[in-house]
Amino acid sequence: MSIETEALLQEAKESIEAAQNYRSELQQRLHGLSQARKQVRGSSSQTREALRRHFQELQAMLTRLLADRLSALLQEVDDIEQDSVRPLDDCQKLIEQGVSTADELLREGEAAIRCGIGEKEDKLGSFTKKALQIQLDSLPEVPVLVDVPCLSAQLDDSLLQAVRDRIGRHGSVASHPPVQIEELVERPGSVLVRWCKVDDDFTVQDYRLQFRRSPSSQYEDAYIGKDTEFLVLHLDPHTDHLFRVCARGEGRTEWSPWSIPQMGYTTLAPHEWCPGSDGYILSSRRNIAMRSDSTPARAGVLYSNSATYFCGQTLTFKITAAGQVDRRDSVGVCVECQSRAESLQRDKAVCVSTNGAVFVNGKEMTNQLPAISTGSTVTFDMEVVNLFPVSNSISDGGNFKLRVTIGSGSREVVFDWLLDQGVDCLFFGCSFAHPGWKVLVF
């Protein structure tokens, strides 16, 4: 085969490979378009159903409220009518009785006048006496019309306009939610969720984060507040979870539409304290340790169950309860567990004391952090700086360098930690001389 033929063959192979890659890219884009169309169609159907259901419920509620109000007003008319007509009926009976008596008296008077002369005197005397007894000058009082109720319906025409205006502004259709999930970062036994506002015209008062453990379960509230990130704890490793976020506008009570759900998971086992350590009581998930008073003497260091802290992660200690401070107290990380150690203020460890002092390989640094108390949060961040020897002798300082950042409150301490050997992962630990201390690790 000639060189020209080989070149053409090679060019043909490259063109075929490029065409395959091009086709694969186009197929992926077709799949993306299919997903986008599915999202538009699906969300449109869900929105239509939500609108119909809401307005049907609203219509039924308004109809019921209007019917109840009409019934109450009609009952009020009936009550006023009955109370007003009753005395009029009594007055009418009294007048009709008087008319009947007057008719009878008239008949007797006319009969007395027409009677004969012999009995006229007796008849007229009896008639006159009876007329005096009836008191023909006494008439019942009839109320004037201004004193009688004249019912009317007082209807505020502005209500209809107000309802029309309110209904005209009720509800809206949003093509995009005002907030979206920006990033999902796996952490040991947890996922750090970050979100951002994508609608510049939307003024946020609070955010609301929810997650769902499985497709068959319901969403659970994880966070409500003003922050734009939150660490969702107590998640099972290698299990997909769905996350979504929404926001509440300033001065509003209703929540915005949810963001597009994002799937996230963690492959990292959760941080746990080692069970069975004297002087410490652990929570059911072993992520909270409390220094008990069962051993008044020093209980030593409580270590992690295994070396689960890796460089590039953030290790957080949150103090949920505080006891008496001791200069040997410590929270931090170490290369190995030393069962007889009383504190992490030793070789191959970095830690912070409850008074804020920072120790590296047992030596106190000049820089100091705020004292630790209830509510304090201490974070450790590490990254590998050098994997190769930095000196000709181990005694000169070691041949493995980690850049350590320890934060507490609003302050940070940054330094290089030199070790005599490389490490892939580290243990964490704590030590408290007195009972009452309670620390959560994540």
Side-chain angles (χ1 to χ4, degrees):
M1 185 180 295
S2 66
I3 297 177
E4 293 181 357
T5 303
E6 289 182 356
L8 290 173
L9 179 61
Q10 181 63 30
E11 185 177 353
K13 290 180 178 179
E14 291 176 355
S15 297
I16 291 173
E17 183 179 359
Q20 290 174 340
N21 293 334
Y22 182 66
R23 182 181 63 181
S24 177
E25 291 290 338
L26 289 177
Q27 288 175 341
Q28 290 181 5
R29 281 162 172 74
L30 282 175
H31 178 71
L33 283 174
S34 175
Q35 292 295 105
R37 183 177 290 105
K38 182 179 178 181
Q39 177 173 301
V40 172
R41 298 291 190 191
S43 62
S44 298
S45 299
Q46 293 176 359
T47 302
R48 289 190 193 97
E49 178 60 28
L51 287 170
R52 291 192 184 100
R53 183 173 61 253
H54 174 76
F55 277 88
Q56 286 172 357
E57 293 173 354
L58 188 62
Q59 184 178 9
M61 178 62 71
L62 287 174
T63 301
R64 185 165 60 251
L65 290 174
L66 289 172
D68 291 345
R69 183 56 180 163
L70 175 60
S71 177
L73 290 173
L74 292 176
Q75 183 62 46
E76 188 175 348
V77 171
D78 293 342
D79 294 341
I80 295 175
E81 182 183 22
Q82 291 177 7
D83 293 341
S84 302
V85 168
R86 189 179 297 112
L88 297 179
D89 290 341
D90 294 340
C91 185
Q92 181 176 347
K93 291 179 181 179
L94 182 61
I95 293 174
E96 288 176 348
Q97 184 180 359
V99 170
S100 177
T101 303
D103 287 341
E104 183 181 353
L105 187 61
L106 284 172
R107 286 193 297 270
E108 291 183 6
E110 290 175 353
I113 293 174
R114 289 194 301 267
C115 69
I117 298 176
E119 55 182 358
K120 180 174 291 190
E121 184 177 353
D122 293 337
K123 292 282 186 181
L124 290 174
S126 175
F127 169 75
T128 303
K129 183 178 180 181
K130 189 174 183 179
L132 292 174
Q133 291 177 348
I134 295 177
Q135 298 179 349
L136 295 176
D137 58 346
S138 176
L139 295 173
E141 184 178 357
V142 175
V144 295
L145 293 181
V146 293
D147 294 333
V148 177
C150 181
L151 280 69
S152 62
Q154 303 298 311
L155 301 174
D156 187 0
D157 294 336
S158 64
L159 175 62
L160 183 60
Q161 184 62 38
V163 171
R164 184 184 293 111
D165 294 342
R166 189 68 181 89
I167 291 178
R169 297 192 305 270
H170 181 67
S172 62
V173 177
S175 59
H176 295 84
V179 291
Q180 291 284 6
I181 291 179
E182 189 176 31
E183 186 180 18
L184 298 174
V185 183
E186 66 171 345
R187 295 287 175 84
S190 59
V191 170
L192 177 64
V193 185
R194 293 192 176 101
W195 58 88
C196 62
K197 184 167 70 79
V198 295
D199 186 351
D200 294 335
D201 297 328
F202 190 85
T203 303
V204 176
Q205 177 177 310
D206 289 303
Y207 294 103
R208 182 182 184 185
L209 172 67
Q210 289 188 337
F211 74 102
R212 190 168 69 180
R213 298 180 183 274
S214 65
S216 59
S217 63
Q218 299 294 323
Y219 276 99
E220 305 174 34
D221 280 330
Y223 171 78
I224 296 178
K226 299 184 181 301
D227 294 337
T228 55
E229 67 176 37
F230 184 77
L231 186 66
V232 182
L233 300 172
H234 311 319
L235 301 182
D236 297 327
H238 305 285
T239 302
D240 290 334
H241 296 80
L242 280 175
F243 301 88
R244 66 181 186 180
V245 66
C246 66
R248 180 163 51 198
E250 188 174 4
R252 307 295 293 270
T253 57
E254 73 277 6
W255 293 99
S256 73
W258 290 102
S259 66
I260 298 173
Q262 299 288 335
M263 184 171 293
Y265 63 92
T266 178
T267 59
L268 307 173
H271 291 317
E272 295 181 355
W273 298 105
C274 182
S277 300
D278 292 338
Y280 293 93
I281 301 174
L282 306 185
S283 64
S284 59
R285 292 184 177 271
R286 298 179 182 175
N287 59 342
I288 300 176
M290 183 179 71
R291 177 67 165 90
S292 66
D293 54 3
S294 59
T295 53
R298 290 188 179 276
V301 178
L302 173 65
Y303 293 102
S304 56
N305 201 24
S306 59
T308 55
Y309 175 67
F310 293 85
C311 292
Q313 299 177 2
T314 298
L315 179 67
T316 303
F317 298 95
K318 185 174 180 62
I319 307 299
T320 58
Q324 183 179 338
V325 175
D326 189 277
R327 64 181 183 84
R328 296 289 292 171
D329 294 339
S330 60
V331 291
V333 297
C334 56
V335 177
E336 58 189 13
C337 301
Q338 296 181 7
S339 58
R340 296 184 178 181
E342 294 183 347
S343 173
L344 288 175
Q345 300 173 19
R346 59 172 176 80
D347 189 34
K348 297 182 180 181
V350 295
C351 67
V352 179
S353 178
T354 50
N355 62 8
V358 179
F359 290 85
V360 182
N361 291 333
K363 297 180 180 179
E364 184 176 353
M365 295 182 62
T366 55
N367 294 334
Q368 202 167 17
L369 294 170
I372 296 175
S373 59
T374 302
S376 295
T377 298
V378 182
T379 59
F380 287 77
D381 290 274
M382 299 188 185
E383 59 178 340
V384 178
V385 177
N386 196 346
L387 293 172
F388 305 101
V390 294
S391 63
N392 295 326
S393 172
I394 292 178
S395 60
D396 291 339
N399 60 357
F400 187 77
K401 184 188 294 185
L402 294 176
R403 178 139 311 149
V404 181
T405 303
I406 305 177
S408 179
S410 59
R411 297 189 59 185
E412 283 187 348
V413 173
V414 182
F415 57 90
D416 289 339
W417 182 19
L418 301 180
L419 297 170
D420 56 9
Q421 61 181 2
V423 291
D424 295 328
C425 50
L426 297 166
F427 292 87
F428 59 85
C430 68
S431 64
F432 300 104
H434 302 285
W437 291 94
K438 193 174 182 180
V439 56
L440 164 67
V441 62
F442 56 89

